[in-house]
Amino acid sequence: MAEEAMPDPDHHTPVFRFAPSPNGVLHLGHALSALLNAERAKATGGRLLLRMEDIDIGRCTPAFEQSIRDDLSWLGLTWEEPVRRQSEHIDAYREALDKLTSLGLIYPAFLSRGEIKAHAKRAADRGHSWPRDPDGAPHYPEFERDLDPATAQQRIAKGERHSLRLNMTKALSLLKAPLSWTEGTDNTTIAADPAAWGDVILWRWDAPSSYHLSVVVDDALQGITHVVRGRDLFHATSVHRLLQNLLDLPAPHYTHHRLILDKDGRKLSKSEGASGLGHLRAQGLSPLDIRGLLNL
Ligand code: GLU
């Protein structure tokens, strides 16, 4: 494997990244993210890295990765090679997980999404509220943290499907001070609220690692100083700040930009043919037209 773009020894050089998942084609929302990163990197004399977030091995393909490269090149972007591909760095995420495990913060979680929902519904039926995360999903039941370790090991040994979750209460108890991050061009201090997420998944049963763990490890390993990404990930930053703190990793500066919505006011999805960059290009639009569509 070729040498990876590593942190610049000159810590004053800003380092930006665009980090798509090659599980679909790029749409206008991705173009906005990529162009804003490129713009900021240029304006600050910084570097721009491209990272393929492809731990979701069931859905990510080399063909999507190639189409992402083609679309970004067409938009006029350049980036440092070779790009970091998350699927090639599972050991780094495992190491971070092991550190959290040694702090006693990780436990095996056997309940499926349907079972979690059923717990939330039963509570609601009894007139009790059940906490939900910022995306609206019910929290993992806290009583599942206390499964007898020997029984849990037996279930794992039998091959029972499980993910690994962070004990949020315990993780928060290790903090020495409240967490925050610096946001946007006006450097607003935002108070992080990781508790809003409950016990997040850090290792999935159907993929190695998880988005939260790998993004935090990679941003640190690649020396990213500035994260520019969509507003849909604003609340996820609370989890990222917590993991950075627990793993002794530096906090980048964050900017969460506006989202591009479809005509019904919904966030664009990867299956959104009409806003796909390849589709727009085939319609005869130029990279300049794309900037126009994005009000850049
Ligand atoms: N891979 C994520 C996505 O495609 C973006 C992650 C990030 O920028 O932190 O939505």
Side-chain angles (χ1 to χ4, degrees), residues 8-9 21 33-34 51 54 73 84 113 115 132 144 148 153 172 177 186 246 253 277 285-286 291:
D8 201 300
S21 297
S33 251
R51 177 161 80 224
D54 64 344
S73 298
R84 185 175 174 91
R113 214 182 286 180
E115 288 167 327
R132 286 181 181 269
E144 287 287 312
D148 167 49
Q153 276 317 314
L172 293 174
D186 52 2
L246 296 169
H253 180 283
L277 294 183
L285 270 75
S286 70
R291 287 174 181 270

Side-chain angles (χ1 to χ4, degrees), residues 36-182:
L36 286 176
N37 272 290
E39 206 170 78
R40 303 268 161 92
K42 194 167 169 205
T44 57
R47 300 163 59 202
L48 177 62
L49 307 183
L50 174 62
R51 177 161 80 224
M52 291 293 166
E53 302 213 322
D54 64 344
I55 50 165
D56 195 350
I57 36 183
R59 294 196 303 143
C60 293
T61 68
F64 282 134
E65 184 176 322
Q66 190 55 50
S67 83
I68 289 174
R69 286 171 169 275
D70 293 345
D71 284 345
L72 294 176
S73 298
W74 175 72
L75 279 176
L77 262 74
T78 54
W79 56 87
E80 295 178 23
E81 291 285 355
V83 304
R84 185 175 174 91
R85 206 177 276 126
Q86 290 189 325
S87 58
E88 294 169 353
H89 298 278
I90 304 303
D91 286 356
Y93 315 133
R94 173 57 76 174
E95 205 176 294
L97 180 79
D98 289 347
K99 178 160 183 199
L100 298 172
T101 305
S102 70
L103 293 171
L105 300 178
I106 301 294
Y107 68 95
F110 296 93
L111 295 185
S112 67
R113 214 182 286 180
E115 288 167 327
I116 304 168
K117 270 193 188 152
H119 276 294
K121 185 173 178 315
R122 273 197 296 278
D125 291 346
R126 280 187 256 112
H128 301 301
S129 66
W130 189 277
R132 286 181 181 269
D133 72 23
D135 288 343
H139 281 197
Y140 199 71
E142 289 186 6
F143 50 78
E144 287 287 312
R145 292 169 178 168
D146 304 322
L147 288 183
D148 167 49
T151 315
Q153 276 317 314
Q154 277 168 10
R155 291 172 71 175
I156 292 170
K158 270 197 246 145
E160 200 172 321
R161 180 185 285 182
H162 67 286
S163 49
L164 298 176
R165 287 184 180 259
L166 181 76
N167 182 329
M168 185 58 79
T169 309
K170 215 165 165 186
L172 293 174
S173 75
L174 298 183
L175 296 182
K176 296 188 181 73
L179 294 170
S180 63
W181 76 85
T182 311

Side-chain angles (χ1 to χ4, degrees), residues 17-21 23 30 33 51 53 86 211 215 219 227-230 232-233 240 270:
R17 88 315 192 257
F18 176 57
S21 297
N23 57 8
H30 298 110
S33 251
R51 177 161 80 224
E53 302 213 322
Q86 290 189 325
Y211 163 63
V215 82
D219 283 341
V227 171
V228 177
R229 61 186 177 194
D232 51 332
L233 291 170
H240 301 171
K270 291 231 159 112

Side-chain angles (χ1 to χ4, degrees), residues 208-265:
S209 192
S210 66
Y211 163 63
H212 292 311
L213 191 60
S214 41
V215 82
V216 156
V217 168
D218 282 354
D219 283 341
L221 278 175
Q222 294 192 291
I224 303 300
T225 58
H226 291 72
V227 171
V228 177
R229 61 186 177 194
R231 228 186 138 75
D232 51 332
L233 291 170
F234 181 86
H235 292 291
T237 305
S238 287
V239 176
H240 301 171
R241 287 293 299 114
L242 174 62
L243 294 176
Q244 285 155 358
N245 193 282
L246 296 169
L247 295 167
D248 287 324
L249 303 175
H253 180 283
Y254 287 92
T255 298
H256 294 93
H257 60 72
R258 65 192 156 94
L259 297 179
I260 306 295
L261 304 176
D262 68 12
K263 54 185 183 326
D264 302 318

